[in-house]
mmCIF file of all heavy atoms in Angstrom:
data_model
loop_
_atom_site.group_PDB
_atom_site.id
_atom_site.type_symbol
_atom_site.label_atom_id
_atom_site.label_comp_id
_atom_site.label_asym_id
_atom_site.label_seq_id
_atom_site.Cartn_x
_atom_site.Cartn_y
_atom_site.Cartn_z
ATOM 1 N N LYS A 29 234.978 123.075 -39.036
ATOM 2 C CA LYS A 29 235.219 122.075 -40.015
ATOM 3 C C LYS A 29 235.424 122.711 -41.406
ATOM 4 O O LYS A 29 235.005 123.821 -41.625
ATOM 5 C CB LYS A 29 234.072 121.075 -40.049
ATOM 6 C CG LYS A 29 233.806 120.289 -38.799
ATOM 7 C CD LYS A 29 232.538 119.445 -38.960
ATOM 8 C CE LYS A 29 232.192 118.690 -37.613
ATOM 9 N NZ LYS A 29 230.965 117.908 -37.812
ATOM 10 N N ASP A 36 230.687 130.002 -46.751
ATOM 11 C CA ASP A 36 229.916 128.761 -46.923
ATOM 12 C C ASP A 36 228.541 128.937 -46.373
ATOM 13 O O ASP A 36 227.535 128.391 -46.948
ATOM 14 C CB ASP A 36 230.643 127.558 -46.256
ATOM 15 C CG ASP A 36 231.956 127.214 -46.921
ATOM 16 O OD1 ASP A 36 232.006 127.166 -48.177
ATOM 17 O OD2 ASP A 36 232.952 127.021 -46.207
ATOM 18 N N VAL A 79 211.964 134.620 -33.398
ATOM 19 C CA VAL A 79 212.452 133.248 -33.071
ATOM 20 C C VAL A 79 213.152 132.661 -34.362
ATOM 21 O O VAL A 79 212.641 132.751 -35.432
ATOM 22 C CB VAL A 79 211.311 132.334 -32.668
ATOM 23 C CG1 VAL A 79 211.821 130.936 -32.388
ATOM 24 C CG2 VAL A 79 210.627 132.925 -31.429
ATOM 25 N N MET A 97 224.025 126.851 -27.557
ATOM 26 C CA MET A 97 223.155 126.023 -26.691
ATOM 27 C C MET A 97 222.795 126.680 -25.351
ATOM 28 O O MET A 97 221.891 126.294 -24.731
ATOM 29 C CB MET A 97 223.734 124.605 -26.531
ATOM 30 C CG MET A 97 223.719 123.722 -27.733
ATOM 31 S SD MET A 97 222.064 123.483 -28.398
ATOM 32 C CE MET A 97 221.278 122.686 -27.026
ATOM 33 N N MET A 129 207.504 135.895 -31.400
ATOM 34 C CA MET A 129 206.941 135.401 -30.180
ATOM 35 C C MET A 129 205.507 135.864 -30.060
ATOM 36 O O MET A 129 205.127 136.946 -30.493
ATOM 37 C CB MET A 129 207.696 135.935 -28.975
ATOM 38 C CG MET A 129 209.059 135.360 -28.741
ATOM 39 S SD MET A 129 209.065 133.583 -28.470
ATOM 40 C CE MET A 129 208.301 133.523 -26.840
ATOM 41 N N PHE A 172 212.436 176.259 -29.277
ATOM 42 C CA PHE A 172 211.983 177.570 -29.575
ATOM 43 C C PHE A 172 212.398 177.932 -30.965
ATOM 44 O O PHE A 172 213.258 177.240 -31.592
ATOM 45 C CB PHE A 172 212.330 178.618 -28.552
ATOM 46 C CG PHE A 172 213.866 178.725 -28.397
ATOM 47 C CD1 PHE A 172 214.571 179.625 -29.160
ATOM 48 C CD2 PHE A 172 214.513 177.960 -27.371
ATOM 49 C CE1 PHE A 172 215.976 179.676 -29.011
ATOM 50 C CE2 PHE A 172 215.920 178.134 -27.231
ATOM 51 C CZ PHE A 172 216.589 178.966 -28.046
ATOM 52 N N ASN A 190 229.639 166.876 -22.630
ATOM 53 C CA ASN A 190 230.432 167.645 -23.632
ATOM 54 C C ASN A 190 229.939 167.204 -25.030
ATOM 55 O O ASN A 190 228.990 166.548 -25.243
ATOM 56 C CB ASN A 190 231.948 167.351 -23.362
ATOM 57 C CG ASN A 190 232.188 165.871 -23.295
ATOM 58 O OD1 ASN A 190 231.784 165.075 -24.123
ATOM 59 N ND2 ASN A 190 232.987 165.456 -22.292
ATOM 60 N N LEU A 272 222.231 149.711 -32.316
ATOM 61 C CA LEU A 272 223.218 150.551 -32.985
ATOM 62 C C LEU A 272 222.599 151.317 -34.111
ATOM 63 O O LEU A 272 221.755 150.765 -34.883
ATOM 64 C CB LEU A 272 224.369 149.688 -33.572
ATOM 65 C CG LEU A 272 225.313 149.079 -32.526
ATOM 66 C CD1 LEU A 272 226.292 148.145 -33.116
ATOM 67 C CD2 LEU A 272 226.077 150.223 -31.827
ATOM 68 N N MET A 295 234.334 160.707 -44.240
ATOM 69 C CA MET A 295 233.710 161.980 -43.933
ATOM 70 C C MET A 295 232.240 161.738 -43.539
ATOM 71 O O MET A 295 231.486 161.106 -44.258
ATOM 72 C CB MET A 295 233.719 162.870 -45.194
ATOM 73 C CG MET A 295 233.138 164.223 -44.947
ATOM 74 S SD MET A 295 233.421 165.384 -46.392
ATOM 75 C CE MET A 295 232.420 164.566 -47.644
ATOM 76 N N LEU A 298 226.871 165.960 -43.642
ATOM 77 C CA LEU A 298 226.641 167.203 -43.006
ATOM 78 C C LEU A 298 225.462 167.135 -42.055
ATOM 79 O O LEU A 298 225.401 167.892 -41.078
ATOM 80 C CB LEU A 298 226.315 168.279 -44.049
ATOM 81 C CG LEU A 298 227.511 168.804 -44.884
ATOM 82 C CD1 LEU A 298 226.965 169.781 -45.955
ATOM 83 C CD2 LEU A 298 228.522 169.501 -44.070
ATOM 84 N N LEU A 332 249.969 161.661 -34.887
ATOM 85 C CA LEU A 332 250.244 161.893 -33.458
ATOM 86 C C LEU A 332 250.462 163.347 -33.154
ATOM 87 O O LEU A 332 250.520 163.756 -31.966
ATOM 88 C CB LEU A 332 251.469 161.147 -33.060
ATOM 89 C CG LEU A 332 251.293 159.618 -32.963
ATOM 90 C CD1 LEU A 332 252.646 158.906 -32.645
ATOM 91 C CD2 LEU A 332 250.329 159.231 -31.891
ATOM 92 N N PRO A 342 235.114 171.834 -33.200
ATOM 93 C CA PRO A 342 233.887 171.395 -32.488
ATOM 94 C C PRO A 342 233.013 170.523 -33.374
ATOM 95 O O PRO A 342 232.304 169.710 -32.867
ATOM 96 C CB PRO A 342 233.169 172.664 -32.076
ATOM 97 C CG PRO A 342 233.885 173.808 -32.724
ATOM 98 C CD PRO A 342 235.199 173.281 -33.188
ATOM 99 N N LEU A 350 243.151 153.331 -38.674
ATOM 100 C CA LEU A 350 244.340 152.533 -39.037
ATOM 101 C C LEU A 350 243.930 151.105 -39.132
ATOM 102 O O LEU A 350 243.521 150.478 -38.144
ATOM 103 C CB LEU A 350 245.457 152.636 -38.018
ATOM 104 C CG LEU A 350 246.304 153.971 -38.077
ATOM 105 C CD1 LEU A 350 247.149 154.063 -36.795
ATOM 106 C CD2 LEU A 350 247.176 154.030 -39.323
ATOM 107 N N MET A 424 255.151 150.444 -24.778
ATOM 108 C CA MET A 424 255.837 149.280 -25.172
ATOM 109 C C MET A 424 255.090 148.714 -26.287
ATOM 110 O O MET A 424 253.955 148.174 -26.217
ATOM 111 C CB MET A 424 256.021 148.294 -24.030
ATOM 112 C CG MET A 424 256.850 147.057 -24.427
ATOM 113 S SD MET A 424 257.367 146.060 -23.008
ATOM 114 C CE MET A 424 258.871 146.910 -22.467
ATOM 115 N N LEU A 455 260.408 143.365 -30.888
ATOM 116 C CA LEU A 455 260.126 142.499 -32.074
ATOM 117 C C LEU A 455 260.272 141.025 -31.800
ATOM 118 O O LEU A 455 261.201 140.630 -31.088
ATOM 119 C CB LEU A 455 261.035 142.910 -33.201
ATOM 120 C CG LEU A 455 261.109 144.413 -33.643
ATOM 121 C CD1 LEU A 455 262.036 144.643 -34.781
ATOM 122 C CD2 LEU A 455 259.670 144.876 -34.006
#
Side-chain angles (χ1 to χ4, degrees):
K29 298 176 183 177
D36 294 315
V79 179
M97 289 303 297
M129 288 298 292
F172 58 88
N190 49 48
L272 287 174
M295 182 173 65
L298 287 175
L332 287 175
L350 282 168
M424 182 168 275
L455 302 182

